[in-house]
Amino acid sequence: MLFTPTGFSECLREWDDLEKDYQQIQDTDRLYRQKLEEVNKLQNSCSGAITRQRKKLKELTSSLEQCKQHSPAALLSPEDVDTIAGIEDSIKERTNAFCEMEAFLPKKNGLYLSLVLGNINVTLLNKQSKFAYKDEYEKFKLVLTVIIFVFSFTCRFLLSYRVLDALFNFLLVWYYCTLTIRESILISNGSRIRGWWVFHHYVSTFLSGVMLTWPEGALYQMFRNQFLSYCLYQSFVQFLQYYYQSGCLYRLRALGERHNMDLTVEGFQSWMWRGLTFLLPFLFFGHFWQLYNSVTLFKMFQLPECKEWQVAMCGCSYLALFMGNFFTTLGVVYQKYKNNQDKCKTL
């Protein structure tokens, strides 16, 4: 409960106390600004040192390769060969260490973040902030997955209005655009999401935008129910993936086998194996549904009454999603299976 002065003498005492507090606040502010300048200098110094070290390591690696390729074998003793191999292993370890260091240093945004946010620094400089942002990202995905499921169910079975469909497609555009931005920020802060699973959301954003512009007509109504049913199934699979992958990540992080900034993302990742027989059929069924959507749209494009360019664009987008998802999943499954076989042989 705050103290409320009632007399003039009490007001003066309260003012004296506030003056003392204000002086402490000023001292704290000066100290904070001084430390902030020191931190900025340390950040610049560390970034410059890492850049110089990387450049020299690259030159050293090139020189070692030349020594191995162009020097006569008689001039390199077995000890020299072992020494070169040890240096090369240390260089690889040092490169990984630099990546860990840079996760806590300000860095320039990539092209996409520069276009969207400008030159704002998005690097979070402590682990608590990184984890909090990552967890908020995971919760955001889960909540939006449930909302999309309910929205698509309503459009598919309860209400059939073009305006409501447009709102649903706008929600998808906003959702995927937001994911691309958030994932780019997470990558800048050390999250290990790469390759197709990043590009997947850009394709989904484009597809949702094309669906949003598809005008009302016979062809739209022909594809509408199939599209909404696919969205329902996709939300259901993403819901399964979230709980399966988050459980795997929790166990592996507890064992120290995964990076703390790793994410649950669409698709099958190389670290997922236990419970694979349960999840993979749902994933592959969704992939082939994307192919079915593509084939349906290409057949619609051949109809004489087809005038909308959106039909062909959606067909190409679904084909790209199928090929990317299917072959990436197959490649990761094969790689994981091969790694397990190699482990069994070594044992």
Side-chain angles (χ1 to χ4, degrees):
M1 183 176 180
L2 293 176
F3 170 72
T4 304
T6 56
F8 179 69
S9 58
E10 292 178 354
C11 290
L12 289 177
R13 284 196 299 270
E14 181 69 14
W15 173 249
D16 291 337
D17 292 339
L18 289 174
E19 278 287 300
K20 294 177 182 178
D21 290 341
Y22 179 66
Q23 292 298 325
Q24 292 179 354
I25 292 173
Q26 284 184 318
D27 294 338
T28 304
D29 178 67
R30 280 192 294 268
L31 180 62
Y32 167 73
R33 296 189 186 203
Q34 178 185 347
K35 296 296 182 181
L36 191 59
E37 290 180 1
E38 293 176 4
V39 168
N40 289 333
K41 291 179 181 178
L42 287 173
Q43 289 173 346
N44 295 332
S45 175
C46 189
S47 297
I50 291 175
T51 301
R52 291 191 297 271
Q53 179 95 174
R54 273 194 167 136
K55 183 179 178 180
K56 292 181 179 179
L57 288 176
K58 186 177 181 180
E59 294 173 353
L60 178 60
T61 302
S62 178
S63 299
L64 291 175
E65 287 295 327
Q66 291 178 2
C67 290
K68 291 192 297 184
Q69 294 177 2
H70 301 295
S71 298
L75 297 179
L76 290 177
S77 64
E79 291 79 8
D80 293 335
V81 174
D82 292 339
T83 301
I84 292 176
I87 293 174
E88 290 176 339
D89 292 338
S90 298
I91 289 175
K92 292 179 181 178
E93 293 177 1
R94 194 167 299 181
T95 302
N96 295 330
F98 287 154
C99 293
E100 294 289 337
M101 295 177 189
E102 288 177 331
F104 293 91
L105 291 172
K107 60 177 70 69
K108 291 183 178 180
N109 295 334
L111 177 62
Y112 180 66
L113 279 181
S114 297
L115 292 174
V116 175
L117 301 178
N119 294 323
I120 297 176
N121 177 31
V122 296
T123 305
L124 304 173
L125 301 181
N126 60 75
K127 289 185 178 181
Q128 291 77 13
S129 299
K130 290 177 183 286
F131 299 160
Y133 189 82
K134 181 197 66 65
D135 290 338
E136 196 275 334
Y137 164 83
E138 301 283 6
K139 292 175 182 177
F140 169 80
K141 276 203 314 181
L142 179 61
V143 171
L144 264 295
T145 297
V146 174
I147 292 175
I148 290 171
F149 180 86
V150 174
F151 210 147
S152 56
F153 180 87
T154 302
C155 293
R156 176 64 178 86
F157 296 106
L158 301 179
L159 300 173
S160 179
Y161 297 108
R162 184 64 183 90
V163 174
L164 197 62
D165 292 354
L167 289 175
F168 175 67
N169 285 306
F170 180 79
L171 173 64
L172 292 178
V173 172
W174 174 81
Y175 171 62
Y176 287 120
C177 282
T178 305
L179 282 185
T180 59
I181 297 172
R182 289 178 180 236
E183 285 175 352
S184 297
I185 294 175
L186 285 165
I187 290 172
S188 296
N189 285 277
S191 290
R192 301 175 182 181
I193 172 173
R194 295 292 186 269
W196 167 253
W197 308 122
V198 177
F199 187 68
H200 173 275
H201 287 147
Y202 292 96
V203 179
S204 299
T205 303
F206 175 78
L207 173 61
S208 301
V210 174
M211 286 295 301
L212 179 62
T213 63
W214 194 341
E216 174 69 23
L219 292 177
Y220 174 81
Q221 290 297 327
M222 189 183 303
F223 184 67
R224 177 183 182 274
N225 288 341
Q226 182 174 326
F227 166 71
L228 292 173
S229 299
Y230 165 77
C231 291
L232 267 172
Y233 180 79
Q234 191 75 0
S235 299
F236 169 71
V237 172
Q238 289 178 6
F239 187 78
L240 290 180
Q241 286 174 216
Y242 172 82
Y243 278 102
Y244 172 65
Q245 294 179 353
S246 60
C248 289
L249 277 176
Y250 178 80
R251 290 193 297 271
L252 292 174
R253 285 171 187 155
L255 295 173
E257 298 179 12
R258 291 306 299 176
H259 192 271
N260 283 313
M261 287 298 287
D262 282 352
L263 308 172
T264 61
V265 296
E266 282 72 10
F268 178 72
Q269 299 292 285
S270 59
W271 48 266
M272 295 163 52
W273 192 248
R274 185 176 299 175
L276 173 64
T277 54
F278 169 75
L279 186 60
L280 270 183
F282 292 98
L283 288 174
F284 279 122
F285 185 79
H287 299 342
F288 281 102
W289 198 333
Q290 291 168 345
L291 178 63
Y292 174 63
N293 287 344
S294 178
V295 172
T296 300
L297 289 164
F298 284 134
K299 288 182 178 179
M300 291 169 55
F301 184 68
Q302 296 175 354
L303 296 175
E305 62 268 25
C306 180
K307 306 295 183 184
E308 298 93 338
W309 59 270
Q310 288 88 348
V311 177
M313 287 294 100
C314 288
C316 293
S317 299
Y318 276 117
L319 182 61
L321 288 175
F322 163 74
M323 294 179 65
N325 290 334
F326 181 74
F327 289 110
T328 302
T329 303
L330 276 184
V332 174
V333 171
Y334 174 75
Q335 180 184 3
K336 185 62 178 178
Y337 175 77
K338 189 176 179 181
N339 292 340
N340 281 357
Q341 291 295 105
D342 294 339
K343 288 181 181 179
C344 293
K345 289 180 181 178
T346 55
L347 294 175

